[in-house]
């Protein structure tokens, strides 16, 4: 890969809060990252770590209220998506940034045919007439490996299996040839063999179409097989970020290390592979003023309760937010 | 879809037969005596003769079978003749009212237009108001529009129509004198001024009933929209970048209408029967009023006929609701 091509997506310091009756929840805290053309960025973290909220904040998909993006910018196509008006955002959504959601059972409209749902973005963004849109819809279904595509256009979602529905959702996201595809746990709701098929499909599509992909998952094992770079999230922050090899060979954050230990690894001893990260993530009712992981961290010390660790560059492309130095096993001198 | 409809239809037939049997049984066993309203000076022997001439001496099953034949065959032909001016010929029996000695069916056919005009109109007006209000209230949940809508429908739903009815009569006909307080059923609309008069006399009963209907249906519409607005498929639709109007009016509305349409269809029989109170208040002599008077007079043929018509309408609109459900929801249709 050539050095430093301009990023397709540049996210800087975004903050997202939910105003609820019980108080303000700080779901995303100063998240910055960028995405290179054609790159596959894996985003990992356990449930509730802010992965979905971060990605939905980018293109205004969160319900406002209760959600509000209070700061930062999202540079895409020379505009700041956080300042864009509704019309500009709509022109990006589904056209230049495609979305795939977790549960294919609920993410399609049950009373509209998949043909109609598939043709919607084509007619909206590409101004296609019905016949052209239909032709393209058949192509798309072929592309995602749907047998008998033309006949199935007039079928309703409940007539498909979970895996086939997810293929329809993928076809919909790819309809207008987006530059970026955001996949929010697209295989979590599927069973293992179907999961593997969908993973293969996405790898294949990426080779054919060359778009950049953000792949959200709570499963490091999935990311290991497909990502170029991995971002680990915890408490609405990025706690570690590195190229995939580097991350698995040299995990530096205690949370990442714990996650890697919990990845089922064939051949490992049983007690090891069954261990999960102990404890529960807490809901953040204030901006974090200390390390959010400290209640579950084996290496926590005094400073961790007083300051929120910033994201440090430890090695060319490796960033970590921790006061403890995994190389020396001692507190860092910064 | 065809099989589905046929299945529902086949189920409706035994239901109706069972209902007609129950209605016959209930009223036959009721202690009401058709001669009770006749003057007390009539001697008992004459009274007995009258009872026999009314057919009350036959065995129970014979009476039921005769009644069925009369009801399903003779009277159906009678109604068709009445309505379309056809002539099937032959001398058919007629079910006579014990009160007026005139054919029950004729009276009912006379009364239906009153009921349909006032009560039917109020149902249609109620729906037309309720659906958009429900949609906007849900989309702008907790906005001032929604708050006002909630308040008005709480009032409309919880204050009984005999109260709002009397209230509007007092305000608009007694104090302001804008509208007549009694509905003139003999009015024939044949020119502009009689049309204006008809509209004037319909305004109050229609608005009172429409308010009540709209209150119910708008709550229902709102709840159904809210259910759907939080669904994943709505987020998917937004993620596709389609216009918000389409998201709401194509995606959300299509789904939200399914239960609402069902409720509306199931409510239609009430249009014929449920307005009894309002008809009394405004003196609209529709079917509801006819039923009340017949019950009070112990007029069994009229009560039987009306009850059966109401039962038939309920079964029929249940069928319609089922079919509409199937049309709107492909998950049902393709079973
Ligand atoms: N609708 C909501 N209302 C209030 N808080 C929310 C809502 N959605 C998400 N959150 C908060 O945001 C946090 C991150 O959620 P999310 O991004 O969905 O996590 P995940 O990493 O599992 O995708 C949650 O822990 C929760 O506190
Ligand atoms: S900053 Fe402290 S508490 Fe947080 S992960 Fe590092 S060592 Fe643990
Ligand atoms: Mg999520």
């Amino acid at each position: 890969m050539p050095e430093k091509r301009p990023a397709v997506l540049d996210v800087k310091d975004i903050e997202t809060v939910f105003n609820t009756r019980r108080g303000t929840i700080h779901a995303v805290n100063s998240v910055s990252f960028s995405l290179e053309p054609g790159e596959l960025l894996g985003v990992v973290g356990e449930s509730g770590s802010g992965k979905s909220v971060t990605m939905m904040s980018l293109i205004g998909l969160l319900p406002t209220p209760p959600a509000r993006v209070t700061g930062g910018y999202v540079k895409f196509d020379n505009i700041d998506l956080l300042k864009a008006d509704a019309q500009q955002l709509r022109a990006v959504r589904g056209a230049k940034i495609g979305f795939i959601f977790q549960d294919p059972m609920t993410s399609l409209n049950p009373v509209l045919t998949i043909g109609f749902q598939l043709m919607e973005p084509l007619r909206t963004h590409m101004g296609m007439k019905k016949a052209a849109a239909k032709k393209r819809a058949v192509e798309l279904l072929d592309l995602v490996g749907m047998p008998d595509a033309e006949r199935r256009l007039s079928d309703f979602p409940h007539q498909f299996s979970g895996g086939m529905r997810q293929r329809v959702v993928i076809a919909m996201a790819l309809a207008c040839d987006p530059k970026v595809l955001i996949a929010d746990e697209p295989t979590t709701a599927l069973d293992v063999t179907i999961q593997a098929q969908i993973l293969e499909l996405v790898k294949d599509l990426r080779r054919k179409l060359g778009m950049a992909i953000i792949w959200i998952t709570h499963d490091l094992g999935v990311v290991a097989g497909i990502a170029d770079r991995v971002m680990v999230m915890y408490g609405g922050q990025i706690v570690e970020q590195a190229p995939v090899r580097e991350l698995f060979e040299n995990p530096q954050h205690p949370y990442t290390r714990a996650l890697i230990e919990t990845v089922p690894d064939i051949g490992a001893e049983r007690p090891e592979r069954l261990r999960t990260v102990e404890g529960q993530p807490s809901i953040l009712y204030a901006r974090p003023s200390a390390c959010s992981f400290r209640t579950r961290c084996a290496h926590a010390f005094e400073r961790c309760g007083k300051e929120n660790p910033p994201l440090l560059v430890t090695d060319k492309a490796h960033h970590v937010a921790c006061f403890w130095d995994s190389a020396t096993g001692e507190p860092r001198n910064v | 879809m065809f099989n589905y409809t046929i299945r529902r239809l086949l189920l409706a037939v035994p239901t109706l037969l069972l209902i007609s049997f129950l209605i016959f049984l209930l009223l036959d066993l009721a202690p009401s005596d058709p001669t009770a309203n006749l003057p007390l000076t009539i001697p008992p022997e004459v009274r007995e003769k009258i009872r026999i001439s009314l057919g009350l001496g036959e065995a129970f099953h014979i009476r039921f079978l005769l009644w069925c034949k009369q009801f399903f065959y003779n009277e159906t032909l009678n109604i068709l003749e009445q309505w379309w001016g056809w002539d099937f010929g032959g001398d058919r029996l007629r079910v006579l009212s014990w009160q007026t000695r005139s054919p029950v069916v004729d009276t009912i056919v006379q009364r239906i237009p009153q009921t349909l005009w006032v009560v039917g109109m109020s149902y249609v007006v109620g729906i037309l108001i309720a659906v958009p209000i429900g949609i906007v209230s849900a989309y702008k949940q907790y906005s001032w529009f929604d708050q006002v809508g909630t308040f008005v429908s709480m009032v409309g739903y919880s204050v009984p129509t005999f109260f709002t009815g009397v209230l509007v009569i007092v305000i608009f006909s007694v104090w302001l004198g804008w509208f007549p307080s009694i509905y003139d059923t003999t009015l024939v609309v044949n020119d502009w001024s009689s049309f204006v008069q008809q509209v004037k006399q319909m305004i109050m009963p229609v608005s009172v009933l429409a308010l009540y209907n709209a209150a119910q249906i708008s709550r229902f519409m709102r709840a159904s929209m809210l259910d759907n607005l939080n669904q994943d498929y709505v987020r998917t639709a937004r993620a596709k970048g389609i216009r918000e109007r389409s998201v709401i009016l194509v995606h959300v509305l299509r789904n939200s209408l399914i239960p609402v349409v069902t409720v509306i269809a199931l409510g239609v029989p009430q249009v014929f029967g449920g307005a009894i109170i309002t008809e009394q208040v405004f003196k609209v002599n529709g079917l509801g009023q006819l039923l009340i008077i017949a019950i009070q007079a112990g007029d069994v043929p009229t009560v039987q006929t009306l009850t059966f018509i109401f039962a038939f309408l309920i079964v029929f609109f249940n069928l319609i609701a089922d079919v509409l459900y199937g049309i709107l929801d492909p998950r049902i249709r393709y079973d």
Side-chain angles (χ1 to χ4, degrees):
Chain A
M1 223 183 258
E3 282 296 296
K4 268 298 157 215
R5 276 192 291 163
V8 272
L9 184 68
D10 189 16
V11 178
K12 183 84 180 146
D13 289 333
I14 60 165
E15 306 263 340
T16 303
V17 297
F18 286 89
N19 293 310
T20 67
R21 233 172 291 157
R22 302 186 51 202
T24 302
I25 297 174
H26 293 255
V28 179
N29 299 298
S30 200
V31 165
S32 308
F33 67 93
S34 64
L35 186 69
E36 297 188 3
E39 181 187 30
L40 200 155
L41 173 66
V43 181
V44 191
E46 63 198 336
S47 179
S49 54
K51 308 180 297 292
S52 303
V53 174
T54 302
M55 296 311 157
M56 293 206 277
S57 301
L58 305 185
I59 54 172
L61 273 183
L62 288 171
T64 33
R68 206 158 62 85
V69 183
T70 54
Y73 68 76
V74 177
K75 219 171 96 189
F76 179 81
D77 248 7
N78 295 319
I79 57 170
D80 178 0
L81 295 183
L82 297 186
K83 292 208 174 68
D85 59 32
Q87 199 182 342
Q88 282 174 308
L89 270 180
R90 275 204 308 274
V92 171
R93 283 186 209 151
K96 294 171 181 162
I97 299 182
F99 243 97
I100 305 171
F101 296 102
Q102 176 168 340
D103 191 352
M105 291 303 173
T106 57
S107 57
L108 289 167
N109 192 324
V111 305
L112 300 172
T113 62
I114 61 142
F116 180 89
Q117 299 188 57
L118 202 48
M119 277 144 67
E120 253 183 332
L122 297 169
R123 296 164 85 165
T124 309
H125 299 296
M126 305 173 83
M128 284 190 188
K129 292 279 169 285
K130 197 163 178 189
K134 192 170 170 190
K135 191 158 158 271
R136 172 83 176 134
V138 174
E139 280 171 23
L140 285 164
L141 286 183
D142 278 336
L143 185 70
V144 296
M146 169 83 66
D148 207 4
E150 185 151 7
R151 198 179 53 78
R152 302 229 66 181
L153 282 182
S154 56
D155 282 350
F156 290 91
H158 74 278
Q159 293 167 291
F160 295 83
S161 67
M164 282 298 155
R165 283 191 219 188
Q166 197 60 300
R167 284 172 198 257
V168 173
V169 176
I170 293 173
M172 241 160 57
L174 295 176
C176 304
D177 256 324
K179 286 192 207 168
V180 177
L181 181 67
I182 301 178
D184 189 352
E185 311 210 26
T187 58
T188 306
L190 303 172
D191 56 60
V192 190
T193 44
I194 309 293
Q195 245 181 51
Q197 289 170 10
I198 296 286
L199 271 174
E200 274 314 305
L201 172 70
V202 172
K203 275 196 223 171
D204 187 44
L205 288 173
R206 183 180 168 220
R207 239 189 338 267
K208 281 185 195 152
L209 308 173
M211 69 278 181
I213 299 178
I214 297 177
W215 187 283
I216 302 174
T217 175
H218 61 253
D219 185 352
L220 255 186
V222 167
V223 148
I226 57 169
D228 299 316
R229 192 154 57 96
V230 181
M231 208 161 89
V232 181
M233 288 193 72
Y234 188 85
Q237 286 174 289
I238 295 171
V239 293
E240 184 159 10
Q241 166 180 322
V244 67
R245 246 172 177 255
E246 165 75 8
L247 189 91
F248 279 93
E249 277 165 13
N250 180 24
Q252 294 181 357
H253 195 281
Y255 178 60
T256 316
R257 295 163 77 99
L259 278 180
I260 287 176
E261 280 174 11
T262 64
V263 173
D265 178 10
I266 295 149
E269 279 151 43
R270 285 206 90 215
E272 270 289 281
R273 60 181 268 225
L274 288 180
R275 210 167 78 201
T276 53
V277 184
E278 306 229 334
Q280 283 288 315
S282 46
I283 293 178
L284 299 164
Y285 282 107
R287 287 208 78 221
S289 56
C291 177
S292 315
F293 190 59
R294 71 184 185 288
T295 49
R296 299 164 74 186
C297 179
H299 306 287
F301 59 104
E302 209 191 329
R303 191 181 177 191
C304 310
K306 290 184 180 153
E307 292 170 57
N308 187 17
L311 202 59
L312 297 170
V313 181
T314 55
D315 182 53
K316 31 183 194 335
H318 200 150
H319 303 198
V320 64
C322 178
F323 292 128
W324 174 76
D325 188 341
S326 62
T328 61
E330 296 289 320
R332 270 180 222 284
N333 300 321
V334 282
Chain B
M1 186 68 209
F2 183 70
N3 287 339
Y4 170 81
T5 312
I6 293 293
R7 238 182 300 147
R8 299 283 132 155
L9 203 62
L10 287 180
L11 213 65
V13 174
T15 314
L16 280 175
L17 277 177
L18 186 68
I19 289 174
S20 62
F21 180 72
L22 287 178
I23 289 172
F24 183 78
L25 193 67
L26 271 180
L27 290 170
D28 196 71
L29 296 178
S32 153
D33 178 0
T35 63
N37 271 2
L38 297 176
L40 288 171
T41 49
I42 296 178
E45 317 89 70
V46 181
R47 220 175 260 274
E48 198 48 41
K49 275 192 182 149
I50 295 178
R51 292 175 57 88
I52 289 170
S53 75
L54 287 171
L56 293 171
E58 301 286 343
F60 176 80
H61 64 279
I62 305 268
R63 271 181 290 145
F64 178 61
L65 288 179
L66 281 175
W67 183 76
C68 281
K69 177 193 174 210
Q70 178 61 21
F71 206 89
F72 292 113
Y73 180 70
N74 289 349
E75 293 298 344
T76 314
L77 295 185
N78 288 338
I79 288 187
L80 291 177
E81 276 187 347
Q82 281 276 323
W83 246 319
W84 306 106
W86 292 340
D87 187 7
F88 294 107
D91 241 357
R92 276 184 310 278
L93 272 178
R94 317 239 33 197
V95 174
L96 296 185
S97 159
W98 287 346
Q99 274 171 286
T100 61
R101 313 298 310 154
S102 62
V104 174
V105 167
D106 295 4
T107 319
I108 291 174
V109 169
Q110 266 169 22
R111 297 291 182 99
I112 281 179
Q114 315 293 350
T115 300
L116 278 189
W117 265 111
V118 175
V119 192
M121 178 74 85
S122 71
Y123 203 55
V124 172
V125 170
I127 294 166
L128 290 181
I129 301 176
V131 169
I133 290 184
I135 295 172
V136 177
S137 296
Y139 188 59
K140 304 237 180 262
Q141 194 188 10
Y142 305 134
S143 64
W144 67 264
F145 182 93
D146 183 31
Q147 312 268 7
V148 171
T150 304
F151 180 74
V152 172
S153 47
M154 287 293 280
V155 172
Y157 186 53
S158 50
V159 178
T161 47
F162 63 76
F163 180 80
T164 34
V166 172
L167 189 71
V168 297
I169 287 178
V170 169
I171 295 177
F172 294 102
S173 29
V174 179
W175 292 352
L176 299 172
W178 289 355
F179 309 117
S181 71
I182 292 183
Y183 190 95
D184 176 8
T185 44
T186 56
L187 181 73
V188 180
V189 180
N190 51 13
D191 58 7
W192 178 249
S193 77
S194 59
F195 174 75
V196 170
Q197 212 184 329
Q198 173 67 12
V199 170
K200 269 185 158 181
Q201 69 175 355
M202 277 175 63
I203 285 182
M204 287 197 305
V206 167
S207 356
V208 165
L209 270 179
L211 175 71
Y212 184 74
N213 292 330
Q216 259 180 311
I217 299 170
S218 71
R219 289 285 88 186
F220 214 77
M221 186 75 227
R222 177 180 180 271
S224 183
M225 285 288 288
L226 283 178
D227 267 358
N228 279 286
L229 277 168
N230 292 324
Q231 299 291 316
D232 284 355
Y233 72 79
V234 181
R235 189 181 53 189
T236 311
R238 292 207 171 107
K240 285 194 283 191
I242 58 180
R243 280 190 303 158
E244 190 65 12
R245 264 177 78 105
S246 312
V247 173
I248 301 301
L249 296 181
V250 176
H251 286 260
V252 184
L253 190 59
R254 263 303 293 271
N255 283 278
S256 314
L257 275 179
I258 296 170
V260 177
V261 164
T262 312
V263 163
I264 289 176
L266 290 176
V268 174
Q270 288 170 24
V271 169
F272 293 85
I276 293 172
I277 289 165
T278 336
E279 287 187 1
Q280 290 282 60
V281 171
F282 290 100
K283 308 283 184 291
V284 181
N285 53 356
L287 293 184
Q289 202 212 25
L290 187 64
L291 179 64
I292 286 202
I293 292 172
I295 291 173
Q296 284 163 355
D299 181 356
V300 174
T302 309
V303 176
Q304 275 177 335
T305 311
L306 281 173
T307 321
F308 185 78
I309 288 179
F310 289 144
F312 172 79
L313 288 171
I314 290 170
V315 172
F316 180 71
F317 280 97
N318 260 291
L319 185 72
I320 298 271
D322 278 350
V323 172
L324 283 175
Y325 206 110
I327 290 174
L328 289 173
D329 194 336
R331 286 163 295 187
I332 303 270
R333 197 189 320 159
Y334 284 82
D335 261 356

